[in-house]
Amino acid sequence: MKIEHFINGKPLAARSYFETVNPATQEILAEVASGGAAEADAAVSAAKTAFPSWASKPATERAALLRRLGDLIAQQVAALARTETEDTGQPIAQTGKQLVPRAADNFYYFAEMCVRVDGHTYPTPTHLNYTLFHPVGVCALISPWNVPFMTATWKVAPALAFGNTAVLKMSELSPLTAARLGELALEAGIPAGVLNILHGYGPDAGEPLCRHPDVRAISFTGSTATGNRIVQSAGLKKFSMELGGKSPFVVFADADRPRALDAALFMVFSNNGERCTAGSRILVQQSIYADFAAQFAERARRLRVGDPLDDTTLIGPMISRNHLAKVRGYIEAGPKEGATLLCGGFDRPSYAPELPSAVRSGNYVWPTVFADVDNRMRIAQEEIFGPVACLIPFSDEADAIAKANDTRYGLSSYVWSENLGRAHRVAAAIEAGMCFVNSQNVRDLRQPFGGTKASGIGREGGTWSYEVFLEPKNVCVSLGAHHIPRWGG
């Protein structure tokens, strides 16, 4: 299969191609167009040309087209989920039951949002001020490889709903479902040029796209290092940067232990541990630490690792050989730093079932749990982006807050306590863009999503998406009831 760029409603062949590989089997899935500055310019030019007509289309008409796109996604969940699983290694139980259906919901939600955009009025005795919102123009949407289809639609839906046009650049590690998104948008009736798909490597295609003078806004999800490079090189634009994370998962002694264990396991091991909001620093109060660690490790040993196309698999392979090597490096570093390996690793543990023969060449890491972790260790400070949990003890509320905040990141956080007064205090004190109390990460489409510190700038979701995809304008009208000073003459 050959995947081309999708520009101005048509496939655009490339001068060179790269291969995308199934991380479970190492099978080559497709040859994908490798773009550069010329292709980025063509995509931006198509989006710029399509912008006036799309922006002037009534919001009700844009909403109808977005709902149609959501319907097409909902009708093809099984096929899209299989493609996503083969391309990324994410278990089919997650792509088919959670991630792809949520992509359809993104279009349904922002179809409703775009017909409700309103402003404010600020009357005075002499003037009436009111605000208008205008679409920004051409938006560069840079989506990551870990949950590519859902994240792409999380960006495309508000950008198009609010009247912008877009160029979507996917990671070279997971391009297949995005290619399908461009075709579905055209099938839904969204005009050519409104959504363009650019493939290729970041330095070759992504950087020219972000630097392009006709790009007015950039929504990026990815690493902190890449986000910094984009901000420094792109110039004066609107930015939404959702970057790395090393989120604290704080468990007090009075927490509902069974529910906290369920949530902790889910937040570090779902999506193969390749999630920016993973609660990978599990801070546990000293009085329950040993018991919690033993139960957590025992549960982690029972998580099924295997073929991601098997409905019973909970953890699939890492996205690539290079990423596998990175995760292995951290697992090797843990014991050298003084952490205790309770379970897991990159060699199949004796307690783990044999992998099916079809996927034995896959990029597998077994659910890994480190205890006796000091918060200054590399495994506690650096984003591993794999199924690796670090258990860290704390003494009291002040110690929990200090350790939770002792990181360069600030994306998400989790607090478990039956003392709601303490839960509110700790939630307010943790330096993070989001905090979930007695809950795993539940993304309500109305909530502001984003982080602080090295985890990014800007927010998306609900009306918070106005920050990047709409420009506010103030209109000031004189009521004629005041004297204007006469100057000169």
Side-chain angles (χ1 to χ4, degrees), residues 45-331:
S45 177
K48 184 178 180 181
T49 299
F51 172 67
S53 175
W54 181 250
S56 62
K57 190 179 290 292
T60 52
E61 294 182 21
R62 294 199 303 270
L65 294 174
L66 292 182
R67 280 192 290 271
R68 173 61 180 150
L69 178 51
D71 288 342
L72 291 175
I73 292 171
Q75 292 163 15
Q76 299 190 33
V77 165
L80 288 166
R82 185 180 181 91
T83 299
E84 186 100 317
T85 290
E86 291 178 336
D87 203 19
T88 66
Q90 295 287 340
I92 194 73
Q94 293 166 35
T95 59
K97 296 175 183 176
Q98 300 169 21
L99 301 176
V100 175
R102 201 163 71 184
D105 289 341
N106 287 335
F107 286 103
Y108 295 144
Y109 175 76
F110 282 104
E112 292 299 316
M113 278 289 301
C114 75
V115 299
R116 302 177 189 277
V117 175
D118 54 16
H120 303 277
T121 60
Y122 308 98
T124 75
T126 60
H127 291 79
L128 174 66
N129 291 273
Y130 63 90
T131 55
L132 300 174
F133 285 98
H134 296 294
V136 173
V138 178
C139 299
L141 311 176
I142 316 294
S143 198
W145 50 257
N146 58 328
V147 283
F149 193 68
M150 193 285 295
T151 309
T153 60
W154 168 253
K155 297 176 184 298
V156 169
L160 270 54
F162 296 142
N164 303 286
T165 54
V167 179
L168 174 64
K169 160 67 176 70
M170 296 301 299
S171 167
E172 68 277 6
L173 296 176
S174 56
L176 297 187
T177 48
R180 188 72 183 109
L181 180 61
E183 297 168 350
L184 291 174
L186 199 65
E187 185 179 339
I190 294 172
V194 171
L195 175 62
N196 305 275
I197 314 294
L198 177 67
H199 297 292
Y201 294 90
D204 300 329
E207 290 185 15
L209 171 63
C210 291
R211 290 197 306 265
H212 199 290
D214 290 330
V215 168
R216 299 294 182 84
I218 299 172
S219 173
F220 172 81
T221 300
S223 73
T224 298
T226 302
N228 275 324
R229 287 200 303 272
I230 290 173
V231 172
Q232 290 167 9
S233 66
L236 197 60
K237 305 182 191 299
K238 300 189 81 173
F239 291 104
S240 173
M241 293 278 162
E242 193 256 286
L243 308 177
K246 195 70 177 177
S247 300
F249 190 102
V250 183
V251 184
F252 286 94
D254 65 345
D256 182 327
R257 190 87 57 86
R259 290 184 62 233
L261 279 164
D262 284 340
L265 286 155
F266 179 80
M267 285 314 307
V268 74
F269 294 129
S270 60
N271 302 117
N272 300 345
E274 297 167 330
R275 58 185 304 163
C276 53
T277 57
S280 55
R281 287 190 303 138
I282 303 174
L283 310 180
V284 184
Q285 196 155 22
Q286 189 73 61
S287 60
I288 63 167
Y289 179 81
D291 187 48
F292 188 96
Q295 292 182 57
F296 185 86
E298 178 55 34
R299 293 274 298 275
R301 291 187 189 98
R302 297 202 299 267
L303 296 176
R304 184 178 176 87
V305 179
D307 183 351
L309 288 173
D310 185 331
D311 278 333
T312 65
T313 293
L314 295 177
I315 297 180
M318 301 291 93
I319 185 74
S320 69
R321 292 293 198 197
N322 285 342
H323 188 59
L324 175 66
K326 173 191 169 184
V327 175
R328 283 182 165 185
Y330 282 109
I331 293 173

Side-chain angles (χ1 to χ4, degrees), residues 246-436:
K246 195 70 177 177
S247 300
F249 190 102
V250 183
V251 184
F252 286 94
D254 65 345
D256 182 327
R257 190 87 57 86
R259 290 184 62 233
L261 279 164
D262 284 340
L265 286 155
F266 179 80
M267 285 314 307
V268 74
F269 294 129
S270 60
N271 302 117
N272 300 345
E274 297 167 330
R275 58 185 304 163
C276 53
T277 57
S280 55
R281 287 190 303 138
I282 303 174
L283 310 180
V284 184
Q285 196 155 22
Q286 189 73 61
S287 60
I288 63 167
Y289 179 81
D291 187 48
F292 188 96
Q295 292 182 57
F296 185 86
E298 178 55 34
R299 293 274 298 275
R301 291 187 189 98
R302 297 202 299 267
L303 296 176
R304 184 178 176 87
V305 179
D307 183 351
L309 288 173
D310 185 331
D311 278 333
T312 65
T313 293
L314 295 177
I315 297 180
M318 301 291 93
I319 185 74
S320 69
R321 292 293 198 197
N322 285 342
H323 188 59
L324 175 66
K326 173 191 169 184
V327 175
R328 283 182 165 185
Y330 282 109
I331 293 173
E332 290 174 342
K336 294 176 183 177
E337 292 186 298
T340 301
L341 180 65
L342 295 185
C343 69
F346 47 84
D347 294 322
R348 184 178 67 86
S350 59
Y351 56 77
E354 188 73 50
L355 286 169
S357 58
V359 297
R360 285 179 190 166
S361 59
N363 308 326
Y364 285 94
V365 170
W366 271 256
T368 300
V369 180
F370 284 111
D372 308 318
V373 176
D374 184 277
N375 203 47
R376 302 312 307 162
M377 294 177 180
R378 284 184 59 218
I379 59 172
Q381 286 294 316
E382 298 178 16
E383 186 176 38
I384 299 174
F385 222 62
V388 181
C390 296
L391 293 167
I392 303 169
F394 69 86
S395 57
D396 56 18
E397 184 176 320
D399 189 36
I401 293 168
K403 286 177 175 172
N405 289 338
D406 184 19
T407 174
R408 64 192 292 250
Y409 296 108
L411 183 56
S412 191
S413 59
Y414 308 87
V415 176
W416 282 79
S417 174
E418 292 297 284
N419 182 331
L420 289 183
R422 174 165 57 200
H424 284 296
R425 289 193 303 272
V426 176
I430 291 178
E431 298 166 352
M434 297 170 284
C435 185
F436 298 87

Side-chain angles (χ1 to χ4, degrees), residues 21-45:
V21 176
N22 184 324
T25 65
Q26 307 307 310
E27 170 195 6
I28 297 172
L29 297 171
E31 291 185 329
V32 183
S34 185
E39 291 79 7
D41 184 67
V44 172
S45 177

Side-chain angles (χ1 to χ4, degrees), residues 15 33 74 300 381 443-444 460:
R15 289 165 290 184
Q381 286 294 316
R443 178 184 282 188
D444 187 301
E460 294 182 35

